[in-house]
Amino acid sequence: MKLILVRHGKPETQAGATPANPPLSALGREQAGRVGHYLAGTAVDAIVHSGMARAAATAQPLVDRLAIVPEAIANLGEVDRYGVDYANAEIIRARGDEEWRRFLGDPIGYFGIDPKRFRSETLDAFAELFERRDLETVAIFTHGFPINILLGQALGLDGMGHFLPDYGSITRLAGSSLERLAVVSVNETAHLSGRFMDAAA
């Protein structure tokens, strides 16, 4: 199975705490459009998203182009799927060096979430996709930590904060199960430059 993992576009955040499940920002909607345009020529059997607003909205341009009914899998969501406030790396960095070090020391625990539970639930969600023998290529619109978890699984890495995928980036893996996974690419961003849009204009 080929997995095309797309990190959602940039969300709308606010000064101070941002409530869970924020929508896309204007830039995020633009990034979503570029992802949809870029992947429209790919033979995709299914489109999956986490059900969170920013992931579902990032998937929508591709859904519209391919006329595929998307499937929501909640356990492919980010830590704020549990209802905690949303905070991305930029927000945490802005809180100062001490907060940033605390986050790096325990990226999931920083939000008050059990890291083992989060990792287990996330991997179970990916495993369920591998059980779908009717699928060859799946576009998965998800989040930074789930992408990290699957990359870590494929590469045998401990921890969950080795990679910082850009908003709207694409990461590709292929394999037959969680135990037989190969990394094809990490953090593709060329499609976000607009040159693919311009070439088709």
Side-chain angles (χ1 to χ4, degrees), residues 133-145:
R133 298 304 177 186
D134 58 318
L135 302 180
E136 183 176 333
T137 302
V138 184
I140 304 171
F141 291 79
T142 183
H143 308 259
F145 280 131

Side-chain angles (χ1 to χ4, degrees), residues 40 51 54 65 86 107 111 126 131 135 156 159 167:
R54 57 195 185 275
R65 284 177 174 271
Y86 174 81
F111 296 94
F126 282 119
E131 293 172 4
L135 302 180
Y167 295 119

Side-chain angles (χ1 to χ4, degrees), residues 79 87-90 92-93 95-111 145 160-161 163-164:
V79 292
N88 55 29
E90 299 94 320
I92 299 169
R93 279 183 183 274
R95 294 173 180 171
D97 291 343
E98 184 176 343
E99 283 292 291
W100 182 243
R101 284 193 297 269
R102 190 163 74 85
F103 169 73
L104 293 179
D106 186 1
I108 305 297
Y110 177 87
F111 296 94
F145 280 131
M160 296 183 229
F163 305 92
L164 185 59

Side-chain angles (χ1 to χ4, degrees), residues 28-191:
R29 292 190 294 274
E30 179 181 336
Q31 291 165 335
R34 294 188 181 212
V35 169
H37 179 87
Y38 180 59
L39 292 180
T42 302
V44 171
D45 300 306
I47 298 173
V48 172
H49 60 69
S50 68
M52 305 195 83
R54 57 195 185 275
T58 304
Q60 195 60 50
L62 186 62
V63 167
D64 292 342
R65 284 177 174 271
L66 299 184
I68 294 176
V69 177
E71 179 181 352
I73 301 178
N75 282 342
L76 293 178
E78 194 57 280
V79 292
D80 58 318
R81 72 193 190 208
Y82 301 113
V84 299
D85 284 350
Y86 174 81
N88 55 29
E90 299 94 320
I91 291 171
I92 299 169
R93 279 183 183 274
R95 294 173 180 171
D97 291 343
E98 184 176 343
E99 283 292 291
W100 182 243
R101 284 193 297 269
R102 190 163 74 85
F103 169 73
L104 293 179
D106 186 1
I108 305 297
Y110 177 87
F111 296 94
I113 306 300
D114 178 0
K116 290 183 179 179
R117 174 189 175 191
F118 183 80
R119 182 177 186 275
S120 175
E121 290 178 348
T122 301
L123 286 177
D124 284 349
F126 282 119
E128 289 175 10
L129 290 174
F130 283 110
E131 293 172 4
R132 303 262 300 273
R133 298 304 177 186
D134 58 318
L135 302 180
E136 183 176 333
T137 302
V138 184
I140 304 171
F141 291 79
T142 183
H143 308 259
F145 280 131
I147 293 170
N148 264 272
I149 287 170
L150 196 62
L151 285 172
Q153 173 72 14
L155 297 171
L157 301 175
D158 294 327
M160 296 183 229
H162 296 284
F163 305 92
L164 185 59
D166 289 312
Y167 295 119
S169 67
I170 294 171
T171 293
R172 302 175 196 258
L173 295 95
S176 57
S177 69
L178 289 179
E179 290 69 39
R180 298 179 64 84
L181 269 177
V183 177
V184 178
S185 70
V186 177
N187 200 38
E188 297 175 28
T189 58
H191 58 282

